[in-house]
């Protein structure tokens, strides 16, 4: 028999049903159903925790400094928000930016993780998938901020503005600025971007926005993206030319903007801008890399810059190119605007709220998009995370059938090695009896291949159970 681990705050629905406000109405309406579920406390005894989560609230743990505007989306009636300084390991969701998350920081109470940004390289996504925890990101939240810096990078690469600034500071320190300002301007000549060709590699949120605004500045646009979505395609300038390879896209380009994710391993994107691609550059090509430093082969780029009048502009550190006369290396400023941080935090908060309160999944990097219509009145919503192996759906529905329960509506989606189910059930059996969910959830969760289950009914934070190597955690 499976071992059960429970350090719980036990409640019944009758004791918990206060008048729901606007926030709680999404999942607290409908019926008077006896419920006996546990507040999943990650192995802590109540008496040992002074700062224990208040009954009826989800607990959100933050890493890094998260925008207050975004955190305000977590309403006080349903949420407690605190930093990683909290000693009690009973968070229900984690929100972070650049913090490199360790598995040891993910307590067994954690249902979800959200990053305020597009990349998730600082999160052990594969491991989170294995244990059934969705990881969310905020695609497009920083698109405008990064796009503006790319446009700025084109100007910096075209006109040697930074060199000119540094030169004037040097002259000023010697009292020669006024005397030399006109004589020395020829040292920093450049070119205009109007009428030039920009190749955009990767036409997602940032790439499409860059292409559109560069076109408005009078540039000709060439693009490459084998996975171009309909949404992004609709945002592209009408005059864009699409190519079938990176090499063909850059061959006639004066500027190249790379906007693709960094993927390690065979078939990934590490060093994708290497000797083969760079060999197709024009002698004065300006490469703009505001995506990831590892996308560019620094040795190959240095060889190109040494023998040409090309430029490299990036906001990622590079030990080889940082002081090259034809390189402009900036701090990582791409998303460092108040607007981008506010938008990313707001999007992350909304995504977490949707998942915790209704079971909806959107913008996840490891779970399938999942949306089910609002729970019918009088029903109970449950979610199940399981390994994506044959026979799982049948096993899950059989558990409800054995309990003589009717599934009113359900959805089952999968992605890679994980599957996710949302089910709305009628809590009354075919015999007219009312089910006790405690036994049902244990039977469901301990079905072989199931990783976790949630009951989205009643008090916020309760009703979560996990199957960890054959041990039942509630």
């Amino acid at each position: 028999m499976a071992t059960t681990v429970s350090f719980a705050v036990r409640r019944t629905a009758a004791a918990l049903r206060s008048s729901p406000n606007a926030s709680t109405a999404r999942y607290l309406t409908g019926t008077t159903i006896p419920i006996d579920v546990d507040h999943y406390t990650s192995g802590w005894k109540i008496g040992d925790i002074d700062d224990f989560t208040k009954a009826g609230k989800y607990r959100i743990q933050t890493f890094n400094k998260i925008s207050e505007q975004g955190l305000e989306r977590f309403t006080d009636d349903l949420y407690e928000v605190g930093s990683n300084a909290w000693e009690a390991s009973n968070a229900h969701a984690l929100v972070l930016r650049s913090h490199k998350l360790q598995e040891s920081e993910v307590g067994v109470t954690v249902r979800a993780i959200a990053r305020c940004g597009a990349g998730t390289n600082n999160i052990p996504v594969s491991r989170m998938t294995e244990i059934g925890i969705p990881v969310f990101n905020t695609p497009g939240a920083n698109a405008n901020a990064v796009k503006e810096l790319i446009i700025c990078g084109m100007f910096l690469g075209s006109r040697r503005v930074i060199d000119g600034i540094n030169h004037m500071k040097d002259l000023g320190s010697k009292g020669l600025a006024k005397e030399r300002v006109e004589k020395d301007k020829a040292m920093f000549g450049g070119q205009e971007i109007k009428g030039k060709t920009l190749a955009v590699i990767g036409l997602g949120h940032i790439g499409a926005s860059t292409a559109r605004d560069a076109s408005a500045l009078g540039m000709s646009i060439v693009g490459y993206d084998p996975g171009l979505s309909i949404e992004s395609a609709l945002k592209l300038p009408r005059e864009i030319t699409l190519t079938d390879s990176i090499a063909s896209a850059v061959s006639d380009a004066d500027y190249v903007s790379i906007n693709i994710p960094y993927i390690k391993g065979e078939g990934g994107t590490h060093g994708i801008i290497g000797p083969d691609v760079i060999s197709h550059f024009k002698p004065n090509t300006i490469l703009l890399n505001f995506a990831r430093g590892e996308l560019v082969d620094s040795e190959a780029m240095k060889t190109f810059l040494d023998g040409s009048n090309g430029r490299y502009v990036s906001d990622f550190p590079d030990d080889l190119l940082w002081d090259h006369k034809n390189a402009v290396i900036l701090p990582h400023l791409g998303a460092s605007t108040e607007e981008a941080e506010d938008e990313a935090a707001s999007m992350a908060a909304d995504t977490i709220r949707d998942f915790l309160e209704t079971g909806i999944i959107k913008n996840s990097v490891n779970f399938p998009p999942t949306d089910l219509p609002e729970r019918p009145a009088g029903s109970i919503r449950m979610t199940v995370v399981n390994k994506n192996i044959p026979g799982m759906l049948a096993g899950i529905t059989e558990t409800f059938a054995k309990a003589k329960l009717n599934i009113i509506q359900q959805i089952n989606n999968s992605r890679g090695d994980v599957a996710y189910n949302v089910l709305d059930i009628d809590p009354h059996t075919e015999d007219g009896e009312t089910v006790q969910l405690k036994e049902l959830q244990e039977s469901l969760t301990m079905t072989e291949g199931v990783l976790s289950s949630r009951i989205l009914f009643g008090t916020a934070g309760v009703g979560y159970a996990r199957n960890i190597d054959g041990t039942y955690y509630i």
Side-chain angles (χ1 to χ4, degrees):
M1 179 178 290
T3 304
T4 298
V5 178
S6 175
F7 296 91
V9 180
R10 195 173 298 276
R11 296 286 189 270
T12 64
L16 298 174
R17 264 191 306 274
S18 57
S19 298
N21 56 32
S23 296
T24 60
R26 292 211 285 177
Y27 63 100
L28 289 180
T29 58
T31 187
T32 55
I33 303 169
I35 297 180
D36 188 9
V37 292
D38 289 326
H39 195 139
Y40 189 20
T41 62
S42 190
W44 290 87
K45 294 182 179 179
I46 287 296
D48 296 336
I49 304 175
D50 294 330
D51 188 27
F52 187 75
T53 305
K54 296 181 179 64
K57 292 193 176 185
Y58 291 109
R59 184 165 189 165
I60 308 300
Q61 185 175 9
T62 64
F63 297 83
N64 309 119
K65 188 178 185 302
I66 307 298
S67 159
E68 287 298 323
Q69 180 174 312
L71 293 180
E72 288 174 358
R73 306 293 265 266
F74 293 115
T75 56
D76 291 339
D77 60 315
L78 283 181
Y79 292 89
E80 286 184 282
V81 180
S83 71
N84 59 323
W86 273 347
E87 294 183 2
S89 300
N90 62 331
H92 299 123
L94 309 180
V95 179
L96 51 86
R97 290 173 60 198
S98 59
H99 174 75
K100 190 169 181 60
L101 190 67
Q102 305 298 317
E103 184 179 350
S104 59
E105 296 173 307
V106 183
V108 290
T109 56
V110 172
R111 284 92 154 140
I113 300 168
R115 176 165 189 269
C116 302
T120 54
N121 300 84
N122 56 321
I123 300 172
V125 176
S126 296
R127 179 56 181 156
M128 294 303 100
T129 306
E130 289 176 4
I131 62 179
I133 297 176
V135 177
F136 301 95
N137 67 351
T138 58
N142 64 356
N144 187 70
V146 177
K147 178 272 307 274
E148 289 186 359
L149 197 59
I150 293 173
I151 299 296
C152 174
M154 285 197 288
F155 294 129
L156 294 178
S158 300
R159 305 292 289 270
R160 288 198 179 277
V161 174
I162 294 176
D163 290 341
I165 292 171
N166 291 334
H167 182 67
M168 291 306 297
K169 285 184 176 181
D170 181 57
L171 291 178
S173 69
K174 300 173 183 177
L176 300 173
K178 290 184 178 180
E179 177 185 340
R180 299 275 296 274
V181 65
E182 288 297 324
K183 295 179 181 178
D184 290 358
K185 67 181 182 181
M187 299 166 57
F188 309 104
Q191 65 182 20
E192 298 180 13
I193 66 172
K194 184 178 181 180
K196 303 299 190 298
T197 297
L198 169 66
V200 182
I201 311 304
L203 295 167
H205 292 284
I206 296 170
S209 181
T210 299
R212 184 177 62 249
D213 283 15
S215 176
L217 290 171
M219 303 186 76
S220 298
I221 310 299
V222 177
Y224 170 74
D225 190 335
L228 180 63
S229 69
I230 295 176
E231 179 184 6
S232 293
L234 293 173
K235 298 176 181 178
L236 295 175
R238 183 171 299 180
E239 299 80 11
I240 190 172
T241 299
L242 297 177
T243 66
D244 60 1
S245 70
I246 296 178
S248 60
V250 307
S251 60
D252 292 318
D254 302 292
Y255 300 81
V256 175
S257 176
I258 182 168
N259 310 283
I260 59 178
Y262 175 61
I263 303 172
K264 296 180 180 179
E266 185 177 354
T269 56
H270 184 89
I272 194 169
I273 306 300
D276 289 345
V277 171
I278 293 175
S279 67
H280 290 83
F281 281 8
K282 295 165 65 173
N284 61 344
T285 294
I286 297 172
L287 176 64
L288 307 153
N289 178 16
F290 293 87
R292 279 294 296 270
E294 296 89 342
L295 296 169
V296 175
D297 183 327
S298 297
E299 291 282 358
M301 196 68 216
K302 183 178 184 302
T303 300
F304 170 72
L305 296 178
D306 286 344
S308 72
N309 195 36
R311 304 281 192 277
Y312 178 55
V313 186
S314 178
D315 68 340
F316 289 91
D318 193 299
D319 293 337
L320 189 61
L321 300 172
W322 67 272
D323 65 343
H324 197 287
K325 65 183 181 68
N326 286 338
V328 178
I329 306 298
L330 306 172
H332 186 46
L333 302 176
S336 296
T337 67
E338 291 184 11
E339 295 87 348
E341 291 178 7
D342 289 345
E343 179 66 20
S346 297
M347 187 182 295
D350 290 344
T351 300
I352 288 292
R353 286 201 61 180
D354 281 340
F355 176 71
L356 291 179
E357 297 177 31
T358 69
I360 290 174
I361 290 183
K362 59 184 178 184
N363 296 331
S364 174
V365 300
N366 63 336
F367 270 54
T370 306
D371 192 2
L372 197 65
E374 186 175 348
R375 176 177 63 82
S379 67
I380 293 174
R381 176 161 293 185
M382 298 186 69
T383 69
V384 181
V385 180
N386 61 269
K387 298 177 182 178
N388 187 20
I389 54 179
M392 286 304 306
L393 182 58
I396 291 169
T397 55
E398 183 180 356
T399 300
F400 289 99
K402 287 181 179 179
K404 299 181 180 180
L405 290 172
N406 179 44
I407 298 174
I408 300 173
Q409 62 178 354
Q410 72 179 98
I411 188 170
N412 168 267
N413 288 336
S414 63
R415 179 174 180 177
D417 294 330
V418 71
Y420 181 66
N421 309 267
V422 183
L423 310 97
D424 291 336
I425 61 172
D426 183 342
H428 300 92
T429 69
E430 60 185 34
D431 298 328
E433 299 177 354
T434 303
V435 68
Q436 294 292 328
L437 295 183
K438 177 181 176 183
E439 291 78 11
L440 172 66
Q441 185 171 26
E442 179 173 2
S443 176
L444 182 64
T445 307
M446 296 312 295
T447 299
E448 186 174 355
V450 170
L451 300 173
S452 66
S453 67
R454 287 199 299 147
I455 300 171
L456 304 185
F457 185 93
T459 299
V462 306
Y464 183 53
R466 284 181 63 181
N467 179 347
I468 303 178
D469 297 327
T471 299
Y472 183 52
Y473 282 79
I474 54 175

